[in-house]
Amino acid sequence: VCVCSVCVCVLLLLGCCCGLVCAGQNRSDPRDQRLFPVLSINYDYVQMPFEVSLWILLASLMKLGFHLLPVLSGVVPESCLLIVVGLLVGGLIRVMGKNPPVLDSQLFFLCLLPPIILDAGYFLPIRPFTENAGTILTFAVLGTLWNVFFMGAVLYGACRLEAGRLASVDLLSCLLFGSIVSAVDPVAVLAVFEEIHINELLHILVFGESLLNDAVTVVLYHLFEEFAHAGEVTVGDVFLGVVCFFVVALGGVMVGGVYGVLAAFTSRFTSHTRVIEPLFVFLYSYMAYLSAEVFHLSGIMALIACGVVMRPYVEANISHKSYTTIKYFLKMWSSVSETLIFIFLGVSTVAGPHAWNWTFVSITIVLCLLSRVLGVVGLTYIINKYRMVKLSGKDQFIVAYGGLRGAIAFSLAFLLSSDDFPMKDMFLTAIITVIFFTVFVQGMTIRPLVELLAVKKKKKTKCSINEEIHTQFLEHLLAGIEGVCGHYGHHHWRHKLDRFNKRYIRRCLIGGERSQEPQLVSFYNKMELKQALMLLESNSSANLSTGDTAAAP
């Protein structure tokens, strides 16, 4: 039957080809009668969606193949393998005599980055993030500022000492380059840290820093870019740059909070149209990101704020099926975007253009490592004076070593104007080298170092009602102790915020009887849903394995 089917298909294709040939021959002579074209090719009509689908399919197959090889996935991070795939694809396109596609900045910032940040913000662990917010902000703000100005000043001095081509690099260009290459990339951090299963404290410190340093990087990038375009810098410009930082960061949080409240309020009225509940979550989040970008605010901060604000209220309003849809669609979407980003990084590396300078590249890599280590050690010395749980030397090493760079730095460098920055190609080559060094060298060696140093890993524990009761009891107890002592710490303000949330906000944003539901009952419902989903997944996997065993001879 299969042979007959193949023969029929071959005959049909031959017939179509003959029809095309005949049609072409008849078109060459207008006096002949034109035949109806049986098969025609119109690739231009489907070129864009076809190529996009092909890229996504290639990325998904690469990700699938990576996880089917445990020997490879246990040694090499997924991001490294995907970059290598991108290099191979770019080289193949070069051999075919065509120009490889470059990771366009608009494609990256408007299409590929938002799903990853939304997934991270929506499922952000609120408790460890708020408990370590001071440390995260210190690393994100002061640490990034230190890296930018230390790298910029030392790099400028090295360029002055180096004769020849580097002598034309001025201080403003070095500071701009430092602002681009100093930012820790959340995509690269997520790709590596989720594979090594590092403990929750270190994960939230490095990942939280990578999310929040976006505001500092964006402000400094636009500030130095404007200074380079204007040609002179005044004291008023510096003051406005400081104000701009707070506007960008807090403005992004406000925009995201507003859209988060709107999403939660809209979910109150979706009980009769459950099928569109996930759509509101995605659209409100994406609108928050785009609205922030319109005013040059931090789109990353807007997405994080939107996800954090709307999640507890949306999950209380929507159905279990909608919750499952949101969860798995976000995970799928962010995974595909992350895969495409790393593949495009490899392809863009082959595409060029490059301007290689051994001195500049070597100094950049050394300064990235040195400034990161000095910044983490110096800031941790100050932070440990105010922390109850001190950061040990091993923790400081992992935080410093986990400062990976990624596609955000590449995209910001790609956006530079060649007229204002003639050294753009050299900057882009150095940044690509730093990305490869951090992803390949640091990303591949961080797992053995974690095991060698015996750093604590994430514990797979299931929350219980007993743990929740004791956690709430301790929080109320600590808030009461702070009130008695007259020292209002974060426990006191968290207690005040929880009371305000229960009295006013929940009643407005949660519909039905669930707005008055006690916290323990709400936690119990979440546990039931989680256990039901786990049971469903385990049963489905067990059925699949049973079916495979039965099918085997």
Side-chain angles (χ1 to χ4, degrees):
V1 177
C2 296
V3 176
C4 294
S5 302
V6 172
C7 293
V8 171
C9 292
V10 172
L11 290 175
L12 287 175
L13 288 175
L14 289 175
C16 293
C17 294
C18 292
L20 284 173
V21 172
C22 294
Q25 290 177 352
N26 290 331
R27 286 194 188 95
S28 62
D29 190 357
R31 294 174 296 178
D32 297 337
Q33 184 180 1
R34 297 181 60 184
L35 296 178
F36 184 80
V38 179
L39 178 65
S40 60
I41 299 176
N42 189 10
Y43 180 69
D44 295 337
Y45 179 68
V46 298
Q47 179 179 3
M48 182 177 293
F50 182 83
E51 292 179 355
V52 171
S53 302
L54 190 61
W55 275 104
I56 296 176
L57 179 61
L58 174 65
S60 303
L61 290 175
M62 292 300 104
K63 197 176 186 71
L64 178 63
F66 176 78
H67 290 285
L68 290 177
L69 299 174
V71 178
L72 184 62
S73 60
V75 178
V76 182
E78 181 182 325
S79 54
C80 299
L81 184 66
L82 294 174
I83 291 178
V84 172
V85 171
L87 291 173
L88 295 176
V89 172
L92 182 62
I93 296 175
R94 277 285 193 190
V95 170
M96 295 172 61
K98 297 183 179 180
N99 294 324
V102 181
L103 181 59
D104 184 70
S105 299
Q106 191 173 12
L107 171 67
F108 172 74
F109 283 109
L110 297 183
C111 299
L112 298 179
L113 184 62
I116 301 173
I117 303 302
L118 176 59
D119 176 57
Y122 192 82
F123 297 104
L124 185 71
I126 303 299
R127 190 186 300 275
F129 184 82
T130 54
E131 289 176 352
N132 299 280
T135 305
I136 294 172
L137 285 172
T138 303
F139 284 135
V141 179
L142 297 181
T144 305
L145 290 174
W146 157 259
N147 291 333
V148 170
F149 288 100
F150 177 79
M151 283 195 62
V154 177
L155 194 60
Y156 175 70
C159 291
R160 297 276 71 77
L161 295 176
E162 175 69 19
R165 191 177 180 187
L166 296 181
S168 60
V169 182
D170 57 357
L171 177 60
L172 202 56
S173 299
C174 291
L175 290 174
L176 176 66
F177 178 78
S179 67
I180 295 174
V181 81
S182 296
V184 180
D185 189 77
V187 182
V189 170
L190 267 178
V192 173
F193 271 54
E194 286 188 350
E195 294 182 13
I196 63 176
H197 303 291
I198 200 70
N199 66 75
E200 194 174 44
L201 173 61
L202 295 179
H203 185 275
I204 200 65
L205 288 181
V206 181
F207 180 59
E209 176 195 357
S210 66
L211 289 176
L212 300 185
N213 67 7
D214 167 71
V216 183
T217 303
V218 170
V219 169
L220 292 177
Y221 174 82
H222 289 297
L223 187 66
F224 294 139
E225 193 177 30
E226 289 293 331
F227 289 165
H229 186 69
E232 60 180 8
V233 182
T234 62
V235 179
D237 294 332
V238 176
F239 174 75
L240 290 177
V242 176
V243 175
C244 183
F245 163 71
F246 293 99
V247 172
V248 168
L250 298 179
V253 172
M254 290 180 61
V255 170
V258 169
Y259 276 97
V261 172
L262 289 175
F265 185 74
T266 305
S267 65
R268 283 194 60 177
F269 309 100
T270 58
S271 57
H272 300 290
T273 51
R274 296 292 190 186
V275 69
I276 61 173
E277 285 176 338
L279 187 62
F280 283 120
V281 173
F282 305 140
L283 287 180
Y284 275 118
S285 303
Y286 193 52
M287 287 299 296
Y289 181 83
L290 294 180
S291 300
E293 291 294 327
V294 166
F295 299 100
H296 289 287
L297 303 176
S298 176
I300 292 180
M301 299 290 288
L303 266 181
I304 296 171
C306 183
V308 169
V309 168
M310 72 177 173
R311 183 188 176 186
Y313 310 108
V314 168
E315 290 186 354
N317 289 325
I318 63 177
S319 64
H320 291 176
K321 292 182 179 180
S322 297
Y323 168 78
T324 307
T325 302
I326 293 171
K327 176 182 177 181
Y328 287 104
F329 188 82
L330 275 181
K331 294 297 181 184
M332 178 271 296
W333 200 7
S334 64
S335 177
V336 172
S337 297
E338 178 185 304
T339 305
L340 286 173
I341 286 172
F342 285 115
I343 290 181
F344 267 116
L345 267 178
V347 175
S348 301
T349 303
V350 178
H354 299 292
W356 185 265
N357 188 297
W358 277 103
T359 304
F360 189 81
V361 171
S362 303
I363 293 175
T364 300
I365 294 176
V366 172
L367 286 180
C368 282
L369 296 174
L370 182 62
S371 63
R372 179 73 181 174
V373 171
L374 293 178
V376 170
V377 173
L379 291 175
T380 306
Y381 176 77
I382 301 173
I383 290 170
N384 279 341
K385 294 182 178 181
Y386 303 96
R387 283 183 62 90
M388 295 182 62
V389 180
K390 312 297 182 184
L391 296 177
S392 64
K394 296 179 181 179
D395 298 335
Q396 296 177 45
F397 176 79
I398 296 300
V399 171
Y401 204 73
L404 307 179
R405 275 67 168 182
I408 290 182
F410 174 83
S411 299
L412 290 176
F414 190 76
L415 284 173
L416 290 175
S417 173
S418 300
D419 297 332
D420 296 331
F421 301 97
M423 315 299 289
K424 173 185 174 180
D425 293 342
M426 187 180 71
F427 287 173
L428 195 60
T429 303
I431 287 172
I432 290 176
T433 308
V434 170
I435 293 172
F436 277 39
F437 179 84
T438 57
V439 173
F440 280 88
V441 178
Q442 296 178 217
M444 291 179 65
T445 56
I446 192 170
R447 188 199 297 267
L449 289 173
V450 166
E451 296 177 355
L452 180 64
L453 297 174
V455 179
K456 292 182 180 179
K457 292 189 177 182
K458 185 186 297 183
K459 296 180 180 179
K460 296 182 179 180
T461 57
K462 297 180 181 180
C463 295
S464 63
I465 292 291
N466 188 27
E467 291 178 353
E468 183 68 15
I469 291 174
H470 282 80
T471 301
Q472 290 189 26
F473 172 75
L474 287 175
E475 288 181 354
H476 288 295
L477 180 63
L478 291 173
I481 292 175
E482 289 180 354
V484 172
C485 296
H487 174 73
Y488 296 140
H490 66 276
H491 294 287
H492 171 80
W493 296 113
R494 179 188 293 171
H495 181 66
K496 291 286 187 183
L497 184 61
D498 287 341
R499 291 183 62 185
F500 180 78
N501 180 37
K502 292 176 183 177
R503 287 185 179 181
Y504 304 104
I505 301 179
R506 285 178 61 90
R507 295 181 180 181
C508 297
L509 300 182
I510 298 179
E513 298 179 354
R514 299 204 64 178
S515 60
Q516 305 295 329
E517 191 175 61
Q519 190 170 354
L520 283 178
V521 176
S522 176
F523 180 75
Y524 179 73
N525 290 330
K526 289 181 181 179
M527 284 185 55
E528 276 193 330
L529 174 61
K530 187 176 181 180
Q531 291 178 358
L533 292 174
M534 292 175 60
L535 182 63
L536 180 63
E537 291 175 356
S538 61
N539 286 337
S540 62
S541 60
N543 291 333
L544 286 175
S545 61
T546 304
D548 293 339
T549 306

